[in-house]
Amino acid sequence: MSADPQHAPQASAGRAPDVFKPGGWVPMRQYPEIDEVDFVIVGTGAGGGTLACKLAEAGFSVVAMDAGPYWRPLEDFASDETHQQKLYWTDERIVDGDTPLKMGSNNSGKAVGGSTVHFAMVSLRFRPDHFQTRTKLGYGADWPIGWQEMWRYYDEVEEMLKIAGPVRYPWGPKRGRYPYRAHPLNAAAEYLARGAEALGIDWTETPIATLSAPRGKAHPCVYRGFCVTGCSTNAKQSVLVTWLPRAIEAGAEIRDLAMVGRVETRNGRATGVHYHRNGEWRFQKAKNVVVAGYAIETPRLLLNSANDEFPDGLANSSGLVGKNLMAQLNQAAWGQVEDEVRSYKGPPSLAISEHWNYEDSGKDYFGGWSYMSQGPLPIIWAKSLAGGRSLWGQDLIDEMNRNNHSVGLKMVGETLPDERNRVTLADETDQYGLRIPRITFAFRDNEKAMIKHAVDFMDQSLEATGATERWKEMNDTCHLNGTARMGDNPTTSVVNADCRSWDIPNLWICDGSVFPTVGGVNPSLTIQAVACRTGDRIREMAARGEL
Amino acid sequence: MVDRFPHYDVLAKRDTPSWNPQTRKVIGDRLATEEPEVLTPGQRATLRAVVDRIVPQPEQRPATNATALVLHKIMTNESDGFRHHELPQVREAWERGLDAIDAEAQERLGHPFAILDGDKADEILRAIEQGDVQAAAWASLPAMLFWSWRLIPDIVSAYYAHPSAWSAMGFGGPAAPRGYVRLQANRRDPWEAAERDDGRVISAEERNIHVG
């Protein structure tokens, strides 16, 4: 076992951890801080890690920093919900508003590879119309990128992650076969399938970023079911084990345990980043700075970087940095069945219906949602029962002990952009002396109407399979997006279609915070697709001398 | 209540391919966790009594050390990554909360919470859950928020971090690198819990002693 990755940087002295080998190392190029690297990237998750790879392969000098540790999953990850909280971003954040968000688990990560190290691997494309909701559907805001272009980048990411999925996807424009064959359905997924069949709607095997066949040094998924606490066998195709090894091979440097506190600017341009590593503040010079800290840390860094030139924070002439936070809806319906389901086996969401992402009639609200089968681990399930049904005492214990017969369906639902849902800075500071974020969030009428429709529908689906003692879990949220939206107009967006800030031409933002809308699908595939596009666009612009 | 998974013990799999070395270490450390010297003796007694009511110990199985695990969390004052704007940090919330629970018992029943019988203790806890509180101590700590954002999540998370609780559920427990093979309904890998009265020829007891 190596030194504790949580307390000592691992990527140093010309090498980085080999994520495929206990105690192993791979050579890594390093850049002196006084060298002005082409790109310093803040964050190595779905946005930053992917972009680091693309830019390094395009020949740029790249330093990518992450506040979290550099894990080797094979030796560092336990099969344990509690211990694996080390993958979450658990620094203090204040939450308020009518629907205060519970942070720290399913919506944030603090590790090299970001939250993809513990994501549920569900890899979905947006419905094409969801890139133009304002024009086509009358709500939200249009993306400045067309769906056909995004479709090509989805192809690239799906190939890179060897997504296991169905041969024929039931919804949307024709797409190719997924690179790897779909995983078998577990019993929980079969309940989704039977319910959908009974209600007469389409369902399919969920396209999922865990291997269904060997790939290089990684083995296929063993269906251990601890996916959302990190994969200890490397079947999960996280950024940590996919894009980053490629990035390092192409010459990128990763700096772990490197918390960026401020982006420096001079004469209207970014000049580098101040970051905390090994107990001291340091400065890395760069020709370009990419902020990729996800929907909370990205606006926090931009706001914490306010200076005389940009007193309201960087890239914030529109006033939109931190605004339009969209936390996707994650409500559920649950029930009991005669079968032994044992939903702890396999990835939690092996079957899906996107019916209500593509069907607009019969709704009294805007937007779409999908729903998936579920497999909650004991602590998550206990919190669901205790929170959602107010069970405690022997009632809670007895219900927990029937868990092998529980089945559930959970939505991933679209939240509309609303400037009142936002990230600001609290007065408190954290262990680095940086002001911590305050996250203000509330469901509005549209979200409430969608939730009602979705939980009623999921409940009907369970009923159609014979599930009894059904109940509805009304309070959960998941992925976060928004807070630095992209657009065509500098007054109504923070970055343009290339993720380049309108105000500071060498400052870029590349993560889920650029989403103008979120659709009813998990965002990681789209974040990676946008990062791939951004990498290509930067290469093209550099070739034309437009950086 | 009849044990649904007779003789099933997750820990029997400790030295099988279902537990990697890091899992063995993590769970071993957890099982060895004792109550740290944190809070006042009175606050600790109150916490023990609350934990007993929220998550009664499994019958016929080793007791969990949920109280020790909650105390450990209080000692480290570790954030979960978010804090409701009306609540203080972990340790301070628990200190105020335990004092307020005890004050509520004193006010309503004239006794410390820790010595109440089960029904009386539950009456106090239900009042807190519903925000129907009388003690002045709640002025600096909204009772319902303390209940749903601190007390319940911390206690159930501690209890369900313990292998005894997993065994009682028939949960497979740690599962790397072996994982599972049989994913369909009513199919059980030989290293999984067997449920009482599941209609199989070999009894659940017999199958459960061979999961290791």
Side-chain angles (χ1 to χ4, degrees):
Chain A
M1 199 76 77
S2 317
D4 183 355
Q6 278 181 297
H7 296 108
Q10 303 293 298
S12 63
R15 65 185 195 175
D18 181 351
V19 293
F20 296 107
K21 190 176 170 194
W25 300 95
V26 293
M28 180 183 74
R29 182 164 176 185
Q30 290 190 268
Y31 297 89
E33 287 170 329
I34 51 165
D35 276 12
E36 195 179 46
V37 295
D38 292 326
F39 285 87
V40 64
I41 300 176
V42 184
T44 62
T50 306
L51 185 59
C53 176
K54 297 290 287 191
L55 292 177
E57 289 181 347
F60 295 106
S61 55
V62 174
V63 172
M65 306 206 185
D66 205 288
Y70 209 133
W71 302 111
R72 290 188 194 92
L74 297 177
E75 69 174 348
D76 291 326
F77 291 178
S79 289
D80 187 72
E81 281 183 278
T82 306
H83 178 76
Q84 292 296 123
Q85 287 172 15
K86 66 185 184 183
L87 302 184
Y88 303 153
W89 190 290
T90 54
D91 293 356
E92 195 84 300
R93 288 153 163 174
I94 307 292
V95 296
D96 65 11
D98 290 345
T99 321
L101 296 178
K102 295 190 171 161
M103 301 293 302
S105 56
N106 65 347
N107 56 19
S108 57
K110 192 174 189 180
V112 172
S115 54
T116 68
V117 178
H118 63 77
F119 76 149
M121 310 170 297
V122 174
S123 299
L124 305 175
R125 301 182 179 197
F126 265 47
R127 169 181 162 186
D129 291 341
H130 284 173
F131 289 108
Q132 270 189 296
T133 58
R134 173 53 59 192
T135 302
K136 296 216 160 153
L137 301 168
Y139 72 91
D142 289 351
W143 288 55
I145 308 174
W147 74 267
Q148 291 94 338
E149 193 179 2
M150 286 298 296
W151 231 241
R152 293 199 298 277
Y153 286 105
Y154 282 138
D155 282 344
E156 178 179 350
V157 179
E158 287 166 355
E159 183 57 33
M160 174 60 185
L161 304 183
K162 298 294 183 202
I163 301 295
V167 173
R168 190 191 69 81
Y169 200 70
W171 306 279
K174 200 171 166 62
R175 62 181 75 170
R177 292 156 63 107
Y178 281 93
Y180 275 18
R181 294 288 73 77
H183 291 275
L185 299 182
N186 62 4
E190 284 183 357
Y191 269 90
L192 181 145
R194 284 166 45 197
E197 293 286 342
L199 297 181
I201 64 163
D202 283 328
W203 64 276
T204 190
E205 298 115 331
T206 309
I208 199 161
T210 186
L211 297 174
S212 63
R215 180 192 198 188
K217 293 174 183 166
H219 302 288
C221 179
V222 298
Y223 307 123
R224 72 190 251 275
F226 280 81
C227 314
V228 297
T229 69
C231 180
S232 61
T233 68
N234 275 340
K236 173 182 289 187
Q237 298 298 283
S238 67
V239 171
L240 176 64
V241 304
T242 56
W243 296 104
L244 291 177
R246 233 173 88 174
I248 288 172
E249 203 176 326
E253 177 184 349
I254 311 297
R255 286 189 200 150
D256 53 336
L257 300 183
M259 176 68 184
V260 175
R262 191 157 62 86
V263 178
E264 186 72 46
T265 71
R266 193 170 165 196
N267 299 327
R269 291 179 65 88
T271 57
V273 299
H274 297 271
Y275 70 103
H276 193 271
R277 197 183 195 209
N278 274 323
E280 60 179 355
W281 284 100
R282 311 184 62 92
F283 184 72
Q284 174 66 54
K285 287 174 73 174
K287 294 184 183 133
N288 292 273
V289 173
V290 180
V291 179
Y294 204 23
I296 308 301
E297 292 304 310
T298 284
R300 179 194 182 202
L301 176 58
L302 295 172
L303 295 172
N304 263 331
S305 298
N307 57 25
D308 289 345
E309 284 189 297
F310 299 102
D312 300 323
L314 306 188
N316 199 20
S317 64
S318 64
L320 290 174
V321 169
K323 292 183 179 169
N324 295 307
L325 174 66
M326 296 170 283
Q328 286 182 311
L329 310 175
N330 204 203
Q331 281 65 22
W334 303 96
Q336 290 295 120
V337 296
E338 287 290 312
D339 281 335
E340 278 188 292
V341 174
R342 300 181 193 263
S343 66
Y344 57 80
K345 293 194 280 191
S349 299
L350 286 167
I352 183 171
S353 179
E354 276 208 69
H355 178 81
W356 292 106
N357 264 330
Y358 286 83
E359 178 58 70
D360 295 322
S361 65
K363 292 175 175 171
D364 58 352
Y365 55 85
F366 289 121
W369 51 280
S370 56
Y371 68 96
M372 287 160 246
S373 54
Q374 295 296 308
L377 292 166
I379 291 175
I380 294 176
W381 184 233
K383 287 202 236 178
S384 282
L385 292 174
R389 287 174 60 188
S390 302
L391 293 183
W392 51 275
Q394 197 60 42
D395 293 344
L396 173 64
I397 305 292
D398 291 346
E399 191 59 39
M400 287 296 292
N401 291 351
R402 303 200 300 159
N403 177 243
N404 285 356
H405 295 268
S406 305
V407 289
L409 303 170
K410 212 163 196 192
M411 70 186 297
V412 170
E414 182 165 8
T415 297
L416 299 193
D418 185 311
E419 292 188 14
R420 293 168 295 180
N421 292 334
R422 62 186 299 197
V423 177
T424 53
L425 297 177
D427 292 331
E428 270 181 58
T429 55
D430 65 7
Q431 68 269 36
Y432 311 104
L434 302 168
R435 289 175 71 187
I436 67 171
R438 173 180 287 268
I439 303 165
T440 304
F441 191 80
F443 292 149
R444 315 285 172 192
D445 289 345
N446 199 75
E447 285 79 39
K448 290 172 186 167
M450 180 186 287
I451 290 169
K452 180 169 188 330
H453 179 225
V455 295
D456 286 350
F457 187 86
M458 292 187 292
D459 180 71
Q460 285 168 29
S461 176
L462 288 178
E463 184 177 26
T465 65
T468 57
E469 301 174 78
R470 297 184 311 281
W471 64 283
K472 296 164 182 172
E473 183 177 11
M474 298 301 285
N475 258 332
D476 224 354
T477 56
C478 50
H479 323 100
L480 311 174
N481 293 281
T483 71
R485 70 154 56 144
M486 61 164 61
D488 282 327
N489 182 338
T491 65
T492 56
S493 59
V494 177
V495 297
N496 67 17
D498 300 329
C499 292
R500 187 176 202 170
S501 78
W502 293 110
D503 301 348
I504 301 175
N506 65 336
L507 178 68
W508 313 73
I509 298 170
C510 187
D511 59 28
S513 56
V514 302
F515 283 27
T517 56
V518 295
V521 298
N522 309 45
S524 62
L525 194 77
T526 302
I527 296 172
Q528 291 171 83
V530 168
C532 286
R533 182 184 182 278
T534 302
D536 284 356
R537 288 288 302 153
I538 287 174
R539 194 186 60 215
E540 291 162 17
M541 286 186 279
R544 293 196 299 263
E546 294 172 4
L547 283 194
Chain B
M1 184 106 186
V2 178
D3 194 331
R4 282 175 172 265
F5 306 94
H7 297 179
Y8 174 64
D9 183 2
V10 164
L11 290 173
K13 294 195 261 185
R14 186 181 180 282
D15 295 317
T16 72
S18 286
W19 288 47
N20 61 15
Q22 51 274 34
T23 302
R24 286 198 282 273
K25 177 173 187 332
V26 165
I27 307 296
D29 289 350
R30 183 171 309 143
L31 291 173
T33 301
E34 294 181 2
E35 292 189 11
E37 292 284 323
V38 62
L39 308 180
T40 66
Q43 287 167 337
R44 287 205 296 274
T46 304
L47 177 63
R48 272 182 223 113
V50 172
V51 169
D52 278 345
R53 298 313 303 165
I54 301 295
V55 280
Q57 293 291 356
E59 295 170 44
Q60 302 150 19
R61 292 180 178 279
T64 71
N65 56 347
T67 301
L69 298 177
V70 174
L71 285 169
H72 193 78
K73 174 167 185 160
I74 293 169
M75 182 180 70
T76 57
N77 200 28
E78 270 170 28
S79 169
D80 301 304
F82 60 98
R83 194 174 90 232
H84 193 287
H85 68 108
E86 292 181 62
L87 291 176
Q89 292 184 349
V90 173
R91 179 170 178 153
E92 193 178 337
W94 271 111
E95 286 170 343
R96 287 193 210 171
L98 291 168
D99 287 346
I101 290 168
D102 201 48
E104 192 69 29
Q106 294 278 11
E107 178 126 353
R108 285 176 187 249
L109 305 168
H111 296 291
F113 184 85
I115 66 161
L116 298 179
D117 67 31
D119 288 345
K120 295 287 187 203
D122 287 355
E123 183 187 320
I124 300 294
L125 292 175
R126 264 192 295 275
I128 295 163
E129 178 184 24
Q130 286 152 20
D132 173 28
V133 289
Q134 298 171 6
W138 296 108
S140 66
L141 186 76
M144 290 168 74
L145 286 177
F146 172 67
W147 176 271
S148 59
W149 286 69
R150 186 86 279 147
L151 184 149
I152 287 289
D154 284 357
I155 291 177
V156 304
S157 297
Y159 184 89
Y160 282 101
H162 196 283
S164 265
W166 302 338
S167 298
M169 293 172 66
F171 172 55
R178 174 160 53 183
Y180 300 103
V181 177
R182 296 159 185 84
L183 304 183
Q184 308 93 318
N186 305 311
R187 294 295 304 279
R188 162 187 175 272
D189 285 329
W191 53 94
E192 290 186 273
E195 187 162 343
R196 179 187 294 282
D197 302 330
D198 64 0
R200 305 296 158 108
V201 176
I202 303 171
S203 73
E205 286 88 341
E206 174 70 14
R207 283 172 288 157
N208 281 333
I209 59 178
H210 295 302
V211 297

